[in-house]
């Protein structure tokens, strides 16, 4: 089931700069995360091509951009997005149902939360080294996704991570993978072959149900 979250009429940000909204995450470390203009609005205000800077100035201080907040770009009509190399985390449902076809995830990203890219139109993606787990539904419903490379840092693939990725033809699994949860590759009807690494200890119920 897709998490239908979108960015109430209540402001969800601390400040805005050049059309991008930010929340301060640490006044000690001077870090911020990108957020949306309003929580649970009927439409996301982000449009077109977005370039997120590595640093942004506010109240006489220079902050480093380290996060993309939960539901930040959910349902946003983006043509493209450039993420900063300073980024370390991407929140839950951050890009859910966003029409972007490609995205480069910086190597410094160590945490991606559930449903982050669910329903996107991305066709291929290489995930950064440092990820420990692919969370629930991270790519669920990405019907145009054709190929994925999972770094060797990943030890677990959570429930429905690739569920209904109906165009997925090839996937390179982490050589350090330990577990594959239920429905992880549910209805990946185009998947032609897959090699399970020798380190895998458990494959949960119906992990590959619906695969032809």
């Amino acid at each position: 089931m897709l998490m239908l979250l979108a960015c109430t009429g209540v402001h969800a940000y601390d400040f805005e700069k050049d059309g991008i909204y930010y929340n301060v995450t640490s006044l000690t470390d001077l870090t911020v995360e990108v957020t949306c203009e309003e929580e649970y609005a009927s439409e996301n205000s982000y449009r077109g091509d977005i370039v997120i800077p590595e640093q942004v100035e506010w109240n006489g201080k220079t902050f480093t951009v380290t996060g993309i907040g939960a539901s930040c770009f959910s349902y946003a009509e983006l043509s493209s997005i450039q993420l900063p190399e300073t980024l370390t985390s991407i929140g839950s449902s951050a890009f859910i149902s966003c029409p972007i076809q490609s995205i480069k995830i910086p190597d410094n990203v160590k945490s991606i939360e559930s449903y982050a890219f669910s329903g996107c139109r991305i066709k291929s993606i290489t995930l950064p080294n440092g990820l420990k787990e692919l969370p629930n539904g991270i790519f669920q419903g990405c019907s145009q996704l054709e190929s994925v490379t999972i770094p060797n840092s990943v030890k677990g693939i959570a429930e429905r991570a690739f569920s209904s990725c109906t165009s997925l033809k090839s996937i390179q699994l982490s050589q350090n993978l330990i577990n594959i949860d239920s429905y992880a590759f549910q209805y990946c009807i185009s998947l032609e072959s897959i090699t399970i690494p020798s380190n895998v200890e458990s494959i949960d119920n119906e992990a590959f149900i619906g695969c032809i």
Side-chain angles (χ1 to χ4, degrees):
M1 180 178 70
L2 295 180
M3 294 178 63
L4 301 179
L5 298 178
C7 270
T8 69
V10 178
H11 289 311
Y13 61 92
D14 290 328
F15 68 96
E16 176 268 336
K17 183 80 171 183
D18 297 327
I20 299 176
Y21 302 89
Y22 301 92
N23 276 332
V24 176
T25 53
S26 174
L27 285 173
T28 302
D29 297 328
L30 296 179
T31 58
V32 294
E33 70 174 12
V34 181
T35 187
C36 49
E37 182 180 8
E38 295 180 351
E39 293 181 342
Y40 315 122
S42 58
E43 293 184 4
N44 194 307
S45 61
Y46 289 117
R47 296 284 189 278
D49 302 313
I50 301 289
V51 177
I52 300 174
E54 294 187 356
Q55 295 184 319
V56 61
E57 294 186 1
W58 181 60
N59 274 358
K61 295 182 174 64
T62 300
F63 292 84
T64 300
V65 181
T66 60
I68 301 296
S71 304
C72 180
F73 296 106
S74 60
Y75 301 95
E77 292 297 324
L78 298 187
S79 302
S80 67
I81 188 166
Q82 181 177 321
L83 302 179
E85 293 299 320
T86 52
L87 200 68
T88 60
S89 66
I90 298 175
S92 62
S93 304
F95 292 92
I96 194 169
S97 294
C98 192
I100 51 173
Q101 294 188 1
S102 65
I103 186 169
K104 182 182 183 297
I105 302 177
D107 289 336
N108 287 323
V109 172
K110 299 295 187 290
S111 171
I112 301 178
E113 296 184 13
S114 59
Y115 300 94
F117 299 99
S118 178
C120 284
R121 298 178 188 171
I122 49 176
K123 294 185 177 181
S124 66
I125 194 164
T126 299
L127 296 166
N129 287 310
L131 288 179
K132 300 299 182 185
E133 182 185 48
L134 299 188
N136 291 353
I138 180 174
F139 296 112
Q140 179 178 337
C142 291
S143 60
Q144 297 184 40
L145 183 63
E146 296 180 354
S147 64
V148 179
T149 299
I150 300 176
N152 288 332
S153 57
V154 171
K155 295 184 177 181
I157 299 178
E159 290 187 10
R160 306 182 192 278
F162 295 96
S163 176
S164 298
C165 289
T166 53
S167 297
L168 185 63
K169 295 180 180 179
S170 66
I171 185 165
Q172 181 177 327
L173 298 179
S174 163
Q175 293 304 302
N176 295 310
L177 192 66
I178 294 175
N179 65 280
I180 301 174
D181 287 356
S182 301
Y183 312 109
F185 294 94
Q186 177 187 37
Y187 302 133
C188 289
I189 59 175
S190 297
L191 193 62
E192 297 174 352
S193 66
I194 191 168
T195 300
I196 307 296
S198 58
N199 287 332
V200 170
E201 298 175 359
S202 66
I203 301 176
D204 288 351
N205 293 338
E206 302 182 329
F208 294 93
I209 189 172
C211 292
I212 298 173

